[in-house]
Structure formats: C-alpha cells, structure tokens
Amino acid sequence: MLSLEGWSSVRIAKAFAVKPDSVRHWRWTFGCEGVSGLRARKAPGPDPVKARAALSVVSAVLSAPIADRPSWTLPRLQDEIETRTGERISKSRLSVVMRKKGASAGGGHGTL
C-alpha cells in the first residue's frame, strides 16, 4: 500500500526496520504473484534423504508382531539403517524423525 502512495523501497525499509533489498523483493514478488506470493511459507531445504531412509528401515523392522521382534534401541536402529541403506543418521536426529512420525522410545529404557 505504501508503494502505491509513492514511498520508495528505502523509505519503506526504514519504516519497518528491514533492508531495502527485502522491500524490493516483496514488490517484485507481489508484481508476479499478487498477495498470495507474500504469504509466509516454509523455506525450501535439502531433501531429507537420511530421514526417509531411516523411516523406511524403522517401519520394516517394527512391522513384525511385538512377540516376534527383538528390542530395538536407537544405536541398534542406527546400525541397521546404515547396513540396509548406507546412510548414517545420528541418534538425536533419528529420535526426532521417529517422534515426528509417531514412533517413540518405550519402557523408559530407550527401546522401541
């Protein structure tokens, strides 16, 4: 709206304590995509290769009935993931990935 009133990118930047380049980017985005282009969105990041590999292995090893499967600790899962996929994932990242997908350590002893 301030652009329509003739404000420069520098003046708008000062008013909102941002850099003029940010204002220029917003103006360009608005010109190309309209208001929808200005909505907040998640920044693109790297493809979650390790997380996807980990989840595929975790799903496979945990699909057996509980009575028929061994106890899986995070270190054992790490090793199994690396054996099957060649990807090594840290315990902390594996824990986060599993929690996001609904799997969690049980029994209070770090087993699944």
Side-chain angles (χ1 to χ4, degrees), residues 51-65 69 72 77 80-81 84 94 97-98 101-103 112:
R52 198 173 298 126
L55 288 173
S56 70
V57 173
V58 169
S59 295
V61 299
L62 297 181
S63 64
R69 71 176 188 224
W72 286 98
L77 283 170
E80 189 67 19
I81 292 163
R84 292 185 185 201
L94 178 56
V97 167
M98 290 174 60
K101 291 297 180 181
L112 302 173

Side-chain angles (χ1 to χ4, degrees), residues 33-64:
E33 302 175 35
V35 174
S36 64
L38 299 176
R39 297 193 197 289
R41 53 187 149 197
K42 187 175 179 182
D47 193 34
V49 174
K50 288 182 181 184
R52 198 173 298 126
L55 288 173
S56 70
V57 173
V58 169
S59 295
V61 299
L62 297 181
S63 64

Side-chain angles (χ1 to χ4, degrees), residues 9-20 22-23 26:
S9 294
V10 172
R11 187 174 176 197
I12 294 170
K14 284 181 184 177
F16 291 96
V18 297
K19 295 183 179 189
S22 295
V23 176
W26 296 335

